[in-house]
Amino acid sequence: MRSGEMWRLLSRFNSFRRTHVILQHLRMSKHTDAAEVLLERKGCAGVITLNRPKLLNTLTVGMIRQIYTQLKKWEQDPETFLIIIKGAGGKAFCAGGDIRAISEIGNKNQKILQDFFREEYMLNNYIASYRKPYVALIHGITMGGGVGVSVHGQFRVATEKSLFAMPETAIGLFPDVGGGYFLPRLQGKLGYFLGLTGFRLKGRDVYTAGIATHFVDSEKLDTLEEDLSALKAPSSENVADVLETYHTKSKIDRDKSFILEEHMDKINSCFSANTVEQIIENLRQDGSSFALEQLKVINKMSPTSLKITLRQLMEGSSKTLQEVLTMEYRLSQSCMRGHDFYEGVRARK
């Protein structure tokens, strides 16, 4: 065999092996599933721990399937009265879906891409309609898919180390996982601003913005979990009472004003436009240092993603969550067939 033919065969083999490894990663074996998400009963609570701390607890399709299946079981279990979901490692609750793995597979296997987004959105919708109290401890980085498995639940607990963002316009995507539903329902045009710019909210600001329902000092999280798990056949009201007690006792940044408070008039004015071009023009005409900073940020984003996101939020403001998730699934598949997403992820590796 000639050397040229041999190199071509080796190249094809390496390409096949790489695809096979990615597929294995996305499908997940039982062994890795068990390591990447922990499911256990503690007292009256079913506890979900996202367990990929080195990867900021990013979600894989295997984790999504395990969580969905276990939530179904716990919903039917008369001994399970509430759900607690948290992230391992202390740095992140969940930094989103594993976009690198998704971008790696690309168009080589459309079925995997369809499965990931469809099943992720199904989980988001299921959490929103869950019939038992659902408590998400959004301690640390909470972005994208991490928002999806928390914000639709009944209770979301932020800490001084929480960091919320929907940064998808920077990677050629859009703020999905129901972003088209919850973002336009935040105060004024705050959700439009967050969705288009990817602005990061930290600590108590995550609560003030309406993303979290409660704020608790991070050093109290373990005790909070113990107290919730020790409740006897609790109702939603009982769970809310415990959370409110911890929230009330928290002193960290209690008197600190919302980071965007002084800019809300500008946000409401500039981001009320119906086109991205007009939003950009509004920011230019405003001319303040805040407006010009946001203009710089927006100019770095994918132009296509900005237009998709604005339309998504406008449409989603009058749709149900189910309707929004259906719309977002169709949008996700369209983005997967384009090139901005793959280039956006590549540029951030």
Side-chain angles (χ1 to χ4, degrees):
M1 183 181 293
R2 291 181 217 172
S3 61
E5 291 177 349
M6 182 177 289
W7 281 116
R8 279 195 295 274
L9 282 171
L10 282 171
S11 177
R12 288 176 64 187
F13 173 73
N14 287 333
S15 177
F16 171 80
R17 185 172 60 180
R18 182 173 175 77
T19 302
H20 180 67
V21 168
I22 293 166
L23 283 170
Q24 279 187 319
H25 171 71
L26 285 168
R27 285 173 180 148
M28 310 300 299
S29 68
K30 289 183 179 178
H31 174 73
T32 53
D33 276 344
E36 293 186 340
V37 57
L38 308 177
L39 305 162
E40 54 190 327
R41 269 284 307 279
K42 290 184 180 178
C44 70
V47 180
I48 302 166
T49 305
L50 307 176
N51 193 36
R52 303 178 81 201
K54 291 181 180 178
L55 294 171
L56 303 179
N57 299 321
T58 49
L59 292 170
T60 65
V61 71
M63 294 166 72
I64 289 166
R65 287 170 179 168
Q66 266 206 303
I67 293 168
Y68 187 89
T69 300
Q70 191 61 51
L71 284 176
K72 284 280 188 185
K73 291 177 182 176
W74 277 335
E75 192 171 37
Q76 301 300 321
D77 179 16
E79 300 302 315
T80 303
F81 289 88
L82 74 144
I83 305 300
I84 298 172
I85 184 168
K86 60 182 180 176
K91 188 173 182 180
F93 166 68
C94 173
D98 194 341
I99 58 168
R100 287 192 180 181
I102 296 167
S103 67
E104 291 273 4
I105 196 70
N107 291 319
K108 295 174 186 175
N109 192 313
Q110 196 68 28
K111 177 72 163 55
I112 290 290
L113 296 178
Q114 291 169 355
D115 288 350
F116 180 86
F117 286 100
R118 184 180 65 252
E119 294 183 42
E120 182 180 29
Y121 297 171
M122 284 173 62
L123 176 60
N124 300 154
N125 184 65
Y126 185 42
I127 289 168
S129 59
Y130 206 65
R131 291 181 294 176
K132 293 181 178 180
Y134 184 97
V135 182
L137 305 179
I138 52 175
H139 172 65
I141 299 168
T142 305
M143 297 183 181
V147 178
V149 294
S150 58
V151 77
H152 302 299
Q154 188 176 4
F155 303 109
R156 291 92 63 191
V157 180
T159 74
E160 75 279 5
K161 295 181 180 179
S162 294
L163 190 160
F164 165 90
M166 295 297 281
E168 289 81 4
T169 54
I171 57 166
L173 206 54
F174 57 94
D176 63 338
V177 296
Y181 180 80
F182 75 85
L183 285 172
R185 286 165 173 77
L186 298 179
Q187 57 177 298
K189 293 296 177 178
L190 176 61
Y192 289 77
F193 169 74
L194 295 175
L196 290 165
T197 67
F199 187 88
R200 298 182 172 193
L201 294 174
K202 300 176 183 178
R204 195 175 280 269
D205 287 335
V206 179
Y207 164 74
T208 308
I211 303 299
T213 57
H214 297 82
F215 182 89
V216 173
D217 300 350
S218 61
E219 64 178 20
K220 300 292 185 184
L221 282 182
D222 289 344
T223 330
L224 170 62
E225 185 180 333
E226 289 171 8
D227 285 352
L228 287 172
S229 301
L231 291 170
K232 304 299 180 186
S235 63
S236 290
E237 290 73 21
N238 299 142
V239 173
D241 288 343
V242 172
L243 292 173
E244 190 60 33
T245 298
Y246 274 82
H247 174 80
T248 303
K249 289 179 180 178
S250 174
K251 300 289 193 296
I252 296 177
D253 293 335
R254 177 182 285 181
D255 300 321
K256 184 180 176 182
S257 60
F258 182 42
I259 191 171
L260 293 171
E261 186 175 318
E262 63 180 299
H263 305 300
M264 280 308 300
D265 286 345
K266 294 181 187 299
I267 289 172
N268 291 338
S269 173
C270 292
F271 287 82
S272 62
N274 292 330
T275 66
V276 173
E277 290 84 354
Q278 189 58 54
I279 289 174
I280 289 172
E281 184 57 29
N282 289 346
L283 290 169
R284 263 201 207 100
Q285 288 184 4
D286 182 280
S288 65
S289 58
F290 175 79
L292 295 178
E293 182 60 35
Q294 304 321 310
L295 191 57
K296 284 182 186 176
V297 170
I298 283 178
N299 283 333
K300 294 177 183 177
M301 302 304 184
S302 158
T304 303
S305 288
L306 290 171
K307 288 178 174 289
I308 289 173
T309 297
L310 181 58
R311 180 66 181 272
Q312 168 209 7
L313 300 181
M314 291 168 62
E315 293 282 334
S317 65
S318 60
K319 292 181 182 292
T320 65
L321 176 59
Q322 283 188 347
E323 289 170 339
V324 166
L325 289 169
T326 300
M327 171 181 72
E328 290 179 356
Y329 175 73
R330 291 168 181 159
L331 287 173
S332 75
Q333 297 310 294
S334 178
C335 287
M336 292 303 103
R337 289 190 291 271
H339 68 274
D340 279 19
F341 171 69
Y342 304 102
E343 174 58 24
V345 175
R346 184 205 62 77
R348 279 158 182 76
K349 284 183 181 178

